Amino acid sequence: PGLETFIQDMVSFDPLYLVDHNDDMLFPAMIEFPDQYRRRLRPCVVDERDQDTPILERLPDNQFAMCLAYNFFEFKPMPVIERWLRELFSKLKPGGRLMMTFNDCDNEKAVRLAENYYACYTPGRLVKSVAEQIGFEIYFEF
C-alpha cells in the first residue's frame, strides 16, 4: 500500500488487511492514522518465494467481500500472478470481488514498459483466461 491515498477511503473497513512483502511497505500506510483507526488495520507480511507454503496462509478463507491489488501485479511474472489469483479466489466470499491492475501487454504502451524493464510482460488475454479458469467472472475492464 505504501503511500497510496486509497487507504484513507478504505480505513473505515473493520478489519482492513494490508498485505505486502515487507513491513517497510506497510508502515507508511498505517502511521498517518490515529490509534482508533490503526487498530482496524491488519498488516500482513507475505513471502511468495516459498513454493511450499500458501502466500496468504494467515488470512481466513471465504471472508473477504473485496480485495484490491493495485500496482502490484505489474511487477510479477505470469506464474506468480496465477498463484496469487488462486489464493485470492479462496479468500473471497461467494460473490466477492477482486479489483486489480496489471501490465496488460495486449496494449502497445504496456509492451514498451516491459521492454524497458519497468514492468513484467503479461498478456491481458492470458491473465483474463487464467482468472476465468480459476472461477473469477470479469465484470469490468479498463
Side-chain angles (χ1 to χ4, degrees), residues 81-98:
I81 292 174
E82 182 174 352
R83 185 173 172 212
W84 273 96
L85 289 175
R86 288 188 186 287
E87 291 197 33
L88 288 168
F89 190 78
S90 74
K91 301 303 175 182
L92 292 171
K93 293 179 180 181
R97 306 275 196 233
L98 167 63

Side-chain angles (χ1 to χ4, degrees), residues 11-42:
V11 74
S12 63
F13 298 167
D14 190 7
L16 174 61
Y17 287 85
L18 302 175
V19 178
D20 214 316
H21 296 291
N22 61 55
D23 286 319
D24 293 339
M25 296 301 287
L26 296 172
F27 184 73
M30 298 173 57
I31 194 65
E32 69 179 84
F33 298 108
D35 287 340
Q36 173 186 359
Y37 288 106
R38 205 175 306 157
R39 283 191 291 273
R40 295 180 179 175
L41 303 176
R42 304 293 188 270

Side-chain angles (χ1 to χ4, degrees), residues 26-80:
L26 296 172
F27 184 73
M30 298 173 57
I31 194 65
E32 69 179 84
F33 298 108
D35 287 340
Q36 173 186 359
Y37 288 106
R38 205 175 306 157
R39 283 191 291 273
R40 295 180 179 175
L41 303 176
R42 304 293 188 270
C44 182
V45 175
V46 297
D47 183 2
E48 67 192 25
R49 296 169 296 172
D50 181 356
Q51 297 293 317
D52 298 325
T53 305
I55 301 167
L56 300 172
E57 71 176 342
R58 296 187 352 217
L59 300 182
D61 289 342
N62 299 313
Q63 294 295 311
F64 298 93
M66 195 262 302
C67 175
L68 174 64
Y70 176 74
N71 204 20
F72 188 72
F73 292 138
E74 284 81 357
F75 310 100
K76 308 282 181 206
M78 193 60 218
V80 175

Side-chain angles (χ1 to χ4, degrees), residues 99-112:
M99 292 181 283
M100 61 181 267
T101 61
F102 64 95
N103 191 46
D104 184 352
C105 288
D106 289 346
N107 176 324
E108 175 185 337
K109 292 178 183 177
V111 173
R112 280 194 227 126

